[in-house]
Amino acid sequence: MQQERLLKVLVIGDLGVGKTSIIKRYVHQVFSQHYRATIGVDFALKVLQWDQHTVVRLQLWDIAGQERYGNMTRVYYREAVGALVVFDMTRLSTFQAVLKWKGDLDSKVALSNGRPVPAVLLANKCDQRRLGLCPKLPKLEAFSQEYGFVGWFETSAKDNTNIDDAISCLMKSVMAVEEERAANGGARAEADGGVLVLPRFDYNMKEKRLGGCSGCDSAKPKERD
């Protein structure tokens, strides 16, 4: 008998960094130059056959870039178990906003043990580097470690670069949290809101050339037909 689990992951970052494009690429394998700006919040669902016993319904919440300045993010962030923090490699101001988004996230949602939810940093639009449009950035490996990200990736929704691997890295960290939770008495459904977190699963993935994910060195779950 298969179990189904719902996993809520936030996708946050400044306006125009490509959050919607990343989600559309991951969920539907499409890309467009003409997505309209997200207003408030939107979400998409990706169904994965995690293992032979577990179906994961991965819910990706697309938070509008201007929402960090509003009061609704606390509601949007509620029950999330992970986050992708996105910036645009061609716009330095969006990188400078990363820590504000990370701070907003950490102040409004946490794991049951009080620790921050796992977050992966995405340096999006890396396809623009070959056009000479990307300003010089700090070393992202050191930056991500210093500020508590579980990994980082250079991504391109346009070229489909590292999108799957970045999300797989995040999921691997969520699994580690669930291993710890199970060891301390078992996973449980969150009572408020009906969001279920994933059960125990030993999951790893390969580290990618344009990104880093601590301890990632195996295969990915399969998308369910």
Side-chain angles (χ1 to χ4, degrees), residues 62-213:
D62 182 359
I63 311 296
Q66 63 270 32
E67 284 298 326
R68 181 170 59 83
Y69 306 101
N71 298 317
M72 288 300 293
T73 52
R74 189 177 301 277
V75 176
Y76 298 152
Y77 291 0
R78 191 175 184 180
E79 309 293 354
V81 295
L84 302 170
V85 183
V86 187
F87 73 94
D88 178 348
M89 291 187 71
T90 70
R91 293 160 54 208
L92 187 60
S93 63
T94 67
F95 173 73
Q96 293 168 339
V98 160
L99 293 184
K100 295 178 182 178
W101 280 100
K102 183 67 161 60
D104 189 54
L105 174 72
D106 292 346
S107 70
K108 293 176 180 176
V109 65
L111 301 174
S112 59
N113 59 13
R115 294 190 310 215
V117 298
V120 170
L121 178 65
L122 303 189
N124 197 37
K125 305 186 184 182
C126 67
D127 56 280
Q128 298 297 301
R129 179 188 285 109
R130 61 178 177 265
L131 302 178
L133 299 178
C134 297
K136 188 174 182 179
L137 296 170
K139 297 286 187 180
L140 293 183
E141 180 70 31
F143 178 88
S144 65
Q145 290 180 2
E146 181 177 357
Y147 292 105
F149 292 94
V150 299
W152 68 276
F153 289 82
E154 292 184 1
T155 59
S156 168
K158 181 178 180 179
D159 292 348
N160 197 19
T161 302
N162 284 337
I163 302 296
D164 287 359
D165 299 312
I167 296 175
S168 295
C169 174
L170 179 61
M171 293 175 70
K172 180 262 180 185
S173 293
V174 172
M175 296 308 103
V177 172
E178 290 309 303
E179 288 283 350
E180 182 177 332
R181 183 200 293 264
N184 292 330
R188 64 175 178 84
E190 296 294 340
D192 206 5
V195 176
L196 298 176
V197 293
L198 295 177
R200 297 182 64 184
F201 186 74
D202 184 14
Y203 175 72
N204 294 302
M205 60 164 281
K206 291 183 179 180
E207 183 173 344
K208 292 297 176 180
R209 180 174 61 87
L210 292 180
C213 176

